[in-house]
């Protein structure tokens, strides 16, 4: 295959709570995920696993950065743990927390890996949850204070920020069905309010980041949701899959890209939105809308899509349809049509900020970790991504989820998404075959596919 466009970026991603460990070290305050995991015996997390130690990247970041260099990563997307910086969510700054991220950023820069920083990947300071968390508008204001501190400290070293990771999951899983921290099951009206506060938090934080950075920044947001692709490649089916992707009246409105992005970019919802969502947006004062500007880019986390027919109806998967170890459909076409649909609606450049698959990885008798399923998945998804780009979707880079195996939220350590195997008891890292495959992809800018 021909190469990806010149300057296309290749990288990988992870999030603080999923890999750092050191949950109570060096002045860090507790987060809602610490509380959720420590509330054992409630079935919150498989095997009552916690992120207390995880991959211990808080102490092993240097070794991990070196592995990233070996694989050839150009970008590493990580998130900052808000309670490491503000143990109480606001007020006093914990210098030791800032120092840790400073060291991580330097370790990456020394190896010519660009640090891409996500401000919020779900570990809200517990102190803020006690005051209502995302139901409380003050949380958005505190988020701006936190963003300002990061911008000042990392000025000149970090040029790409993402404000919020998957606001749809923050709301739908954390405040909707309660399977994620803080484990609440609020009414849809309250969930809609949380969503508007997250949109506001994005706006306030983006403004603070720009205000306190001397160099131009690239600021994105990373939503997720239903992405439909047409089962037949006809103009009618493509059109129907576009409509189905952004139809807020279907299934759950929370798990749509537009539940966050329409509010953030257009400051309103379309006719398909349920009444309470429109009302929540209508209640936002103009002075708040003035703080909310479109992001510079959309980060897309994409794992599987929904195949639709020429009427946009979801087509049930046939028996034996290929699925990953966690039963997510293997649907490479979503990489071609998802970015096209998002570009058509929002007209913004995009990065694939997450993509990957969980496998039942283990160390084989030869001491290696062989993961042909993951290689095949990556290969297929990248081929389709290339088609989408050729058809006009401006996707500027691809980040693999994840570099290391890590803590997969309510599934604990039972799901392995890494291209590097983590032998948790020994805290040993082993490059999987897919890491070598990905290294070739990066080296040839996709030509080897
Ligand atoms: C998206 C989330 O951002 C990430 O934290 C999670 O581990 C992956 N999906 C895989 O489920």
């Amino acid at each position: 295959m021909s190469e990806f466009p010149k300057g296309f970026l290749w990288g990988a991603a992870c999030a603080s709570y999923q890999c750092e460990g050191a949950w109570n070290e060096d002045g860090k305050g507790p987060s809602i995920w610490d509380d959720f995991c420590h509330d054992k015996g409630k079935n919150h997390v498989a095997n009552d696993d916690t992120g207390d130690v995880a991959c211990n990247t808080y102490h092993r970041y240097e070794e991990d950065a070196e592995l990233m260099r070996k694989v050839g990563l150009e970008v590493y997307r990580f998130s900052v743990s808000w309670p490491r910086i503000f143990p109480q969510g606001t007020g006093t700054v914990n210098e030791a927390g800032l120092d840790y991220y400073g060291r991580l950023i330097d370790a990456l820069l020394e190896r010519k890996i660009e640090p891409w920083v996500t401000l919020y990947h779900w570990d809200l300071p517990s102190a803020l949850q006690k005051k209502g968390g995302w139901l409380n508008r003050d949380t958005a204001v505190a988020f701006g204070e936190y963003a300002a501190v990061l911008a000042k400290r990392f000025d000149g070293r970090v040029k790409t920020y993402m404000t919020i990771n998957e606001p749809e999951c923050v709301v739908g899983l954390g405040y909707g069905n309660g399977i994620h921290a803080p484990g609440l099951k609020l009414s849809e009206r309250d969930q809609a309010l949380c969503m508007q506060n997250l949109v506001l938090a994005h706006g306030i934080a983006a403004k603070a980041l720009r205000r306190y950075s001397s160099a131009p920044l690239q600021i994105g947001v990373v939503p997720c949701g239903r992405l439909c692709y047409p089962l037949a490649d006809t103009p009618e089916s493509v059109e129907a899959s576009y409509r189905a992707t952004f139809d807020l009246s279907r299934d759950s409105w929370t798990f749509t890209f537009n539940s966050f992005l329409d509010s953030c970019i257009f400051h309103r919802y379309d006719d398909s939105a349920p009444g309470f969502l429109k009302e929540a947006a209508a209640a936002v004062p103009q002075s708040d809308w003035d703080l909310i500007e479109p992001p510079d880019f959309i980060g897309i986390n994409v794992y599987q899509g929904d195949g639709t027919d020429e009427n946009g109806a979801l087509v049930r998967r046939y028996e034996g349809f290929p699925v990953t170890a966690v039963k997510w459909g293997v649907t490479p076409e979503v990489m071609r049509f998802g970015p096209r649909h998002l570009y058509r609606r929002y007209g913004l450049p995009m990065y694939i900020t997450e993509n990957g698959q969980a496998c039942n990885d283990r160390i084989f008798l030869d001491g290696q970790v062989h993961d042909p399923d993951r290689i095949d998945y990556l290969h297929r998804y990248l081929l389709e991504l290339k088609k989408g780009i050729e058809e006009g979707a401006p996707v500027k880079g691809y980040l693999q989820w994840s570099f290391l195996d890590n803590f997969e939220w309510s599934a604990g350590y039972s799901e392995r998404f890494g291209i590097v195997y983590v032998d948790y008891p020994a805290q040993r890292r082993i490059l999987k075959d897919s890491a070598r495959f990905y290294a070739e992809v990066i080296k040839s800018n996709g030509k080897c596919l």
Side-chain angles (χ1 to χ4, degrees), residues 8-60:
F8 191 84
L9 289 172
W10 299 96
C14 200
S16 47
Y17 191 74
Q18 296 185 268
C19 65
E20 283 178 2
W23 76 280
N24 60 355
E25 289 183 39
D26 297 338
K28 174 182 168 292
S31 79
I32 55 173
W33 270 94
D34 292 313
D35 299 342
F36 198 59
C37 293
H38 293 160
D39 185 22
K40 299 201 176 206
K42 306 269 177 61
N43 243 345
H44 290 326
V45 178
N47 308 311
D48 272 342
D49 289 344
T50 75
D52 290 0
V53 178
C55 314
N56 199 12
T57 59
Y58 187 76
H59 294 292
R60 307 182 79 119

Side-chain angles (χ1 to χ4, degrees), residues 366-439:
D366 63 2
Q368 304 289 314
V369 180
H370 304 296
D371 56 345
D373 289 20
R374 185 174 286 105
I375 292 177
D376 183 66
Y377 176 102
L378 276 177
H379 199 154
R380 288 174 187 276
Y381 274 62
L382 287 172
L383 289 176
E384 291 294 316
L385 174 60
K386 179 85 187 313
K387 280 190 207 158
I389 294 173
E390 283 163 0
E391 290 162 354
V395 178
K396 309 288 186 195
Y398 171 93
L399 312 187
Q400 221 285 316
W401 184 274
S402 179
F403 191 65
L404 302 177
D405 290 333
N406 57 63
F407 175 85
E408 177 57 18
W409 308 113
S410 46
Y413 297 98
S414 65
E415 298 181 5
R416 291 181 179 272
F417 274 90
I419 53 173
V420 176
Y421 185 89
V422 178
D423 172 8
Y424 293 107
Q427 279 296 340
R428 198 159 54 105
R429 277 73 163 134
I430 303 171
L431 291 187
K432 300 180 192 177
D433 290 351
S434 59
R436 297 195 182 84
F437 171 79
Y438 193 42

Side-chain angles (χ1 to χ4, degrees), residues 106-178:
D106 288 345
L108 295 170
L109 288 172
E110 277 161 25
R111 292 168 176 85
K112 304 212 171 352
I113 302 167
E114 274 185 48
W116 283 24
V117 174
T118 307
L119 267 54
Y120 187 69
H121 202 128
W122 308 353
D123 41 359
L124 186 74
S126 308
L128 294 182
Q129 187 56 46
K130 291 200 180 96
K131 296 181 195 152
W134 290 110
L135 255 187
N136 187 344
R137 185 185 179 283
D138 292 349
T139 300
V141 177
F143 192 59
E145 189 190 339
Y146 159 59
V149 167
L150 298 190
K152 283 183 209 160
R153 177 61 68 102
F154 305 134
D155 190 19
R157 289 189 284 170
V158 175
K159 299 189 177 121
T160 301
Y161 283 97
M162 286 138 291
T163 52
I164 294 162
N165 181 73
E166 298 191 352
E168 300 77 9
C169 289
V170 174
V171 176
L173 305 180
Y175 294 80
N177 63 20

Side-chain angles (χ1 to χ4, degrees), residues 203-239:
I204 294 179
K207 279 217 177 312
L209 289 169
R210 286 200 214 284
R211 169 143 188 236
Y212 294 105
S213 298
S214 55
L217 295 178
Q218 165 173 251
I219 300 176
V221 65
V222 182
C224 69
R226 180 179 61 235
L227 284 176
C228 301
Y229 63 90
L231 288 174
D233 192 358
T234 63
E236 298 73 32
S237 297
V238 174
E239 183 63 30

Side-chain angles (χ1 to χ4, degrees), residues 433-448:
D433 290 351
S434 59
R436 297 195 182 84
F437 171 79
Y438 193 42
E440 278 307 306
V441 172
I442 298 175
K443 208 160 122 197
S444 67
N445 195 25
K447 201 166 176 189
C448 66

